[in-house]
Every structure is written in structure tokens, then in C-alpha cells.
Amino acid sequence: NNKQSMRSIFILIFSINMFVNAQEKWYYGNLKNVNELSIHIEIDSLEDQLWVNRIMNYVELSLAQTSIRIDKTIPIPRLAVEIFIIDSNVDKVSSFMINYCLYNYALPDKEYIESVKDTMITKKFRIHKVYEKEILGQSNSSSIHLKIEEAIIKHTSDFVGQWFRDNPLRQF
């Protein structure tokens, strides 16, 4: 009976460990060796170019603390920051969605396996989304810009943190 309870405890611990280890984000490791990128910021339904420039400057300055070089002439890898705003002066609630996506070249699993078998280097790279985070938020019309800026700070911090986790030696 004691042996059976030990076995049950072992199975439980093993199952919990497997569950915890399987909960990693799908993008872990995808920012490894991303040393330069271009940035594209799109803000829907907003005409305030000064505010757009302020957000762009914040993102660029945040990435400057890493070793990522920003080159607006390269097409890929590209960090796309998309901000969609529904600013309602009629309703009490205004809404926004902010999406951070990093696009980079990648190779589908099947084509990679075939190229390894054939010892041929494939040229069938495609553009894939290798990192994505999205935030939905609501605020009143008078403070929506502040809430969006707070969300941008959070997103950029998460991106930089993930980049350092994927490139740990770059911290020194």
C-alpha cells in the first residue's frame, strides 16, 4: 500500500512537471539572433502626427537599450506595432487594441526536414510571424491616449524582456 502511494505521488509530480514545462509561450526562442530590424507603426483613426512620432521615438529608444540595430531600409525582420482606436465622445467608453508582431523569414517544418534529408539548402523561406502580443483596453475619451501609452510601455518592456531571455549573453 505504501509502495502504491509512493508511485501515485511520483506520477502526480511527474504529471505536474510535464504540465508546467508544456506551458511555454510559442514564441520562446524565436528572437534569438535578431540583431537588427525595421519598425513599422500604424495607428488607425488618429490624425495626430506628433503623438505618432512620440510613440515611435519611445519604441526606438526602448530597443536602443538592447543590441538591436534599427534599420528602416530592411524589409525583414520587421516589428509591426498596430494600434486601433475607437474613440467615442458619445459613449462613456472608448476602446483600443494594440498588437506587436515581429515578422521574420522562416521555413515550414516539412520543407526543413526534406532539405535535411536531401542535404540541399532550400530557398523556400517564407515570412512568418515569430512573435506576437496583443492588448485590448478601454478608457474614457479624455484619458485614452494615456492608457495607450501605458500599454505601449508594457508591450515594449515585454518584447525587450523576451529578447534578453532569447539572447542572454547580450546583457553583458
Side-chain angles (χ1 to χ4, degrees):
N1 200 8
N2 192 19
K3 192 175 187 180
Q4 189 175 17
S5 66
M6 286 296 285
R7 177 186 249 173
S8 298
I9 291 172
F10 177 74
I11 291 173
L12 178 66
I13 291 172
F14 182 74
S15 298
I16 290 171
N17 189 32
M18 290 289 289
F19 179 74
V20 169
N21 288 334
Q23 296 301 310
E24 286 189 4
K25 301 281 187 194
W26 65 272
Y27 52 75
Y28 282 5
N30 288 352
L31 301 181
K32 188 172 184 168
N33 296 323
V34 173
N35 299 318
E36 66 179 356
L37 55 84
S38 64
I39 299 175
H40 174 74
I41 295 181
E42 180 179 331
I43 301 179
D44 186 36
S45 73
L46 187 68
E47 303 299 323
D48 187 357
Q49 190 58 42
L50 289 175
W51 193 67
V52 172
N53 291 342
R54 180 176 166 172
I55 289 176
M56 181 70 160
N57 289 337
Y58 175 78
V59 173
E60 287 179 351
L61 287 173
S62 296
L63 294 179
Q65 68 179 320
T66 67
S67 298
I68 298 173
R69 191 172 71 84
I70 297 171
D71 184 352
K72 295 179 183 177
T73 63
I74 62 172
I76 298 291
R78 181 182 73 235
L79 178 63
V81 178
E82 300 166 326
I83 303 170
F84 301 97
I85 305 168
I86 301 172
D87 190 2
S88 176
N89 291 325
V90 178
D91 294 329
K92 291 181 180 180
V93 177
S94 295
S95 302
F96 64 90
M97 181 184 81
I98 301 172
N99 193 9
Y100 265 49
C101 294
L102 182 71
Y103 296 95
N104 204 351
Y105 292 117
L107 187 63
D109 291 344
K110 182 180 177 187
E111 292 176 21
Y112 174 76
I113 292 168
E114 288 174 7
S115 72
V116 170
K117 282 193 253 180
D118 296 341
T119 65
M120 295 283 293
I121 297 175
T122 186
K123 295 180 182 177
K124 298 180 182 177
F125 286 97
R126 297 183 188 146
I127 297 173
H128 287 251
K129 194 181 296 183
V130 297
Y131 175 90
E132 181 178 35
K133 258 193 148 175
E134 185 174 281
I135 290 180
L136 300 172
Q138 292 183 329
S139 177
N140 58 25
S141 184
S142 62
S143 65
I144 192 148
H145 284 83
L146 179 63
K147 292 293 184 184
I148 290 172
E149 288 176 14
E150 289 171 357
I152 290 286
I153 290 168
K154 170 88 172 94
H155 261 329
T156 306
S157 175
D158 290 348
F159 182 81
V160 167
Q162 185 61 48
W163 187 85
F164 276 124
R165 280 189 291 284
D166 290 349
N167 299 282
L169 298 178
R170 304 288 262 192
Q171 296 180 41
F172 308 106

